[in-house]
Amino acid sequence: MGSSKFLRLTLLAAVAFGVGGIPAAARADETCNSPYMSGLIKGQEDYLYVWTLGVKGVGDGFDKMVTLDVNPASKKFGQVIAQVSVGKRGEAHHMGFTDDRRFLWAGGLDDSKIYVFDVHTDPARPKLVKTIDDFARRSGYVGPHTFYALPGRMLIGALSNDKDRGGVTGMAVYNSKGDFIAKHDMPTTQGGDGYGYDLAISPSKNAMLTSSFTGAVNYMTDLGKLIKDPAAMKQFGNTMVMWNLKSMQPEKVLNVPGAPLEIRWSLKEGDEWAITATALTSKIWLVKKDASGAWQARDVATIGDPAKVPLPVDLSITADGKGLWVNTFMDGTTRYFDISNPEAPKETYSKRTGSQVNMVSQSWDGKRVYLSSSLLANWDKKGADDEQFVKLFAWDGKELKETFKVDFTKLKLGRAHHMKFGAAPGRYSAAAVQEAPQSAMRVAGR
């Protein structure tokens, strides 16, 4: 069977499952995951995997996967218990689990290498089992950013291309063994600027939403130099794209000026909307169908003082779809918005959590919030403000209370970026969605 037909059948099977069939009791884990993942963590996570940028002259200087013990019942709670170096620096950035959650794929924005870690055999000590180095050659893209599990597949959203290293890019599909399958260019017609960043899928709506950022020429440039270059500052994405998931074809380009970054679909059953934040204009945007059934994007709230460019970076939506965490990098602030009415989000809490703060990951029960500090090697602050940490906070609905801080600089680990949860064997649940990968294979004749 041809790869394109196999992909279509796989996605068709995926759409058929959706997320509505997952029993509420089986839902656990981090809120920002692909809906196709099986083996969700039951309750308390045991480990936090941190994809970390190497810093020349700090420790071994290489990118690495760092594992923290985050179970409060453990004697090593809040400590580093393992680290796996990849032997070079390639601008470690994002990562994502395969659909069976046995492997964690992590990418480098600069060298475009993809590292596959076994997190199943010994979850406390991930093992590097494969390096994929054909991403640029096979796809024509560079800067693998978002790793999103599909049944038997990994969908990878890129930030740039290997011709001019600008923002025009696309998505690549690999099978779970690491073999290249297909590519999908971001649209450059009918209002499309071709830029890419994040992607998020709502299977029950047959919808995939993508956002946009900037190319390698910009994200590998020192931030201070970049913001003084008017021409470079014009090379940021101003669109989101709604795709037909089954056909993998773009259906509508949405005008969302100011570099819309992370995308979060509401996780509440019955909701049909997604949310994003724009880095340069500091706005929250709602993507929702209008009365005629057409997808529209609308600016619904302001984050901080846009004139000061607080730079919203990561988002995390609560499991009930009523709350949203937003980290703003430049002022080191973590904000909470009440989005029970997504048409009118309201900031109800904020706390300065560091001199700089980037990623946010929260537990499904909403009681634990993890933060990391690094954005990009050349965009992080200088001197004393270049804090590099992972912090855990307890959230009681009123106040973030710091539980622990792991100082990555002091431990000579590097720059802490993306985080994912892990658990000891026997701590996973078998959700209904677990059957999606196997069923998709049967539909495809595998």
Side-chain angles (χ1 to χ4, degrees):
M1 177 178 289
S3 62
S4 60
K5 185 176 181 181
F6 179 48
L7 178 61
R8 287 196 300 272
L9 289 173
T10 300
L11 290 171
L12 179 62
V15 171
F17 280 88
V19 293
I22 305 176
R27 286 180 169 175
D29 219 311
E30 183 185 7
T31 60
C32 301
N33 277 321
S34 164
Y36 302 117
M37 276 176 47
S38 64
L40 300 178
I41 297 170
K42 295 183 290 186
Q44 171 69 51
E45 57 281 358
D46 294 310
Y47 312 116
L48 186 74
Y49 305 124
V50 187
W51 188 218
T52 305
L53 289 76
V55 178
K56 186 177 181 180
V58 176
D60 65 8
F62 300 138
D63 295 350
K64 56 182 61 67
M65 187 68 71
V66 176
T67 304
L68 306 183
D69 187 320
V70 296
N71 191 325
S74 171
K75 293 181 180 180
K76 295 185 178 181
F77 177 61
Q79 297 180 32
V80 174
I81 57 173
Q83 54 179 292
V84 182
S85 173
V86 299
K88 64 177 301 183
R89 287 191 303 277
E91 191 73 29
H93 203 67
H94 281 198
M95 55 184 172
F97 289 105
T98 51
D99 60 355
D100 58 9
R101 210 201 170 104
R102 294 178 175 232
F103 298 93
L104 189 54
W105 290 36
L109 290 186
D110 189 23
D111 64 6
S112 295
K113 291 187 181 300
I114 298 168
Y115 301 95
V116 180
F117 294 89
D118 176 354
V119 293
H120 172 74
T121 302
D122 184 354
R125 295 170 179 78
K127 181 180 180 181
L128 179 61
V129 294
K130 186 180 184 69
T131 300
I132 301 171
D133 59 9
D134 65 353
F135 182 78
R137 177 172 59 84
R138 298 301 301 273
S139 69
Y141 312 137
V142 297
H145 178 268
T146 302
F147 295 84
Y148 206 88
L150 297 174
R153 295 287 184 265
M154 185 67 80
L155 182 59
I156 305 171
L159 297 188
S160 190
N161 66 79
D162 66 351
K163 288 186 177 180
D164 62 10
R165 294 176 67 81
V168 176
T169 187
M171 299 172 288
V173 183
Y174 280 73
N175 66 24
S176 294
K177 294 181 179 180
D179 302 318
F180 177 82
I181 299 296
K183 57 175 288 188
H184 303 278
D185 293 337
M186 293 293 175
T188 55
T189 59
Q190 298 183 329
D193 54 22
Y195 284 32
Y197 183 77
D198 197 20
L199 62 93
I201 290 172
S202 179
S204 62
K205 303 170 190 62
N206 187 30
M208 178 172 69
L209 189 58
T210 59
S211 57
S212 56
F213 183 45
T214 193
V217 172
N218 273 0
Y219 66 68
M220 292 304 297
T221 296
D222 179 84
L223 183 59
K225 179 181 178 181
L226 178 65
I227 61 178
K228 294 177 182 178
D229 184 341
M233 290 302 293
K234 293 179 181 178
Q235 304 304 312
F236 281 83
N238 293 294
T239 62
M240 299 181 77
V241 181
M242 186 62 72
W243 299 69
N244 182 304
L245 176 61
K246 183 169 66 175
S247 66
M248 289 297 287
Q249 293 297 313
E251 291 191 328
K252 186 170 185 179
V253 175
L254 303 168
N255 182 41
V256 184
L261 299 183
E262 308 295 339
I263 306 166
R264 304 290 179 246
W265 285 98
S266 174
L267 298 171
K268 182 181 178 182
E269 187 172 355
D271 279 355
E272 296 190 0
W273 51 267
I275 213 158
T276 191
T278 49
L280 302 184
T281 55
S282 202
K283 300 288 185 180
I284 291 176
W285 285 73
L286 176 68
V287 179
K288 186 179 181 181
K289 287 183 177 179
D290 61 19
S292 68
W295 289 105
Q296 305 290 350
R298 187 162 63 88
D299 163 13
V300 291
T302 299
I303 305 166
D305 180 356
K308 296 180 180 179
V309 193
L311 194 58
V313 278
D314 198 22
L315 310 175
S316 182
I317 198 167
T318 58
D320 61 7
K322 295 181 179 180
L324 183 75
W325 291 105
V326 181
N327 275 348
T328 47
F329 179 79
M330 294 305 292
D331 59 9
T333 299
T334 299
R335 307 168 190 271
Y336 184 85
F337 284 81
D338 179 345
I339 56 171
S340 52
N341 175 9
E343 308 277 353
K346 295 180 180 179
E347 182 180 318
T348 58
Y349 177 83
S350 69
K351 183 184 184 73
R352 191 172 189 272
T353 49
S355 60
Q356 58 186 15
V357 63
N358 186 24
M359 304 301 292
V360 52
S361 294
Q362 67 171 314
S363 58
W364 193 271
D365 61 13
K367 296 179 180 180
R368 299 174 299 286
V369 179
Y370 296 85
L371 305 178
S372 64
S373 54
S374 181
L375 177 54
L376 291 160
N378 290 324
W379 288 30
D380 286 355
K381 295 183 178 182
K382 313 295 183 186
D385 285 338
D386 185 20
E387 286 188 287
Q388 297 300 336
F389 60 77
V390 166
K391 294 181 180 181
L392 169 61
F393 290 85
W395 172 246
D396 61 4
K398 297 180 180 180
E399 175 68 26
L400 283 175
K401 296 180 180 179
E402 186 174 320
T403 303
F404 70 64
K405 172 185 175 180
V406 178
D407 188 329
F408 274 50
T409 298
K410 183 178 180 180
L411 295 175
K412 297 183 178 181
L413 295 171
R415 302 177 182 276
H417 190 74
H418 206 191
M419 301 170 288
K420 287 292 182 184
F421 295 170
R427 295 287 309 284
Y428 295 99
S429 62
V433 77
Q434 186 172 3
E435 293 301 315
Q438 289 77 18
S439 298
M441 294 303 105
R442 290 195 293 270
V443 170
R446 285 278 289 254

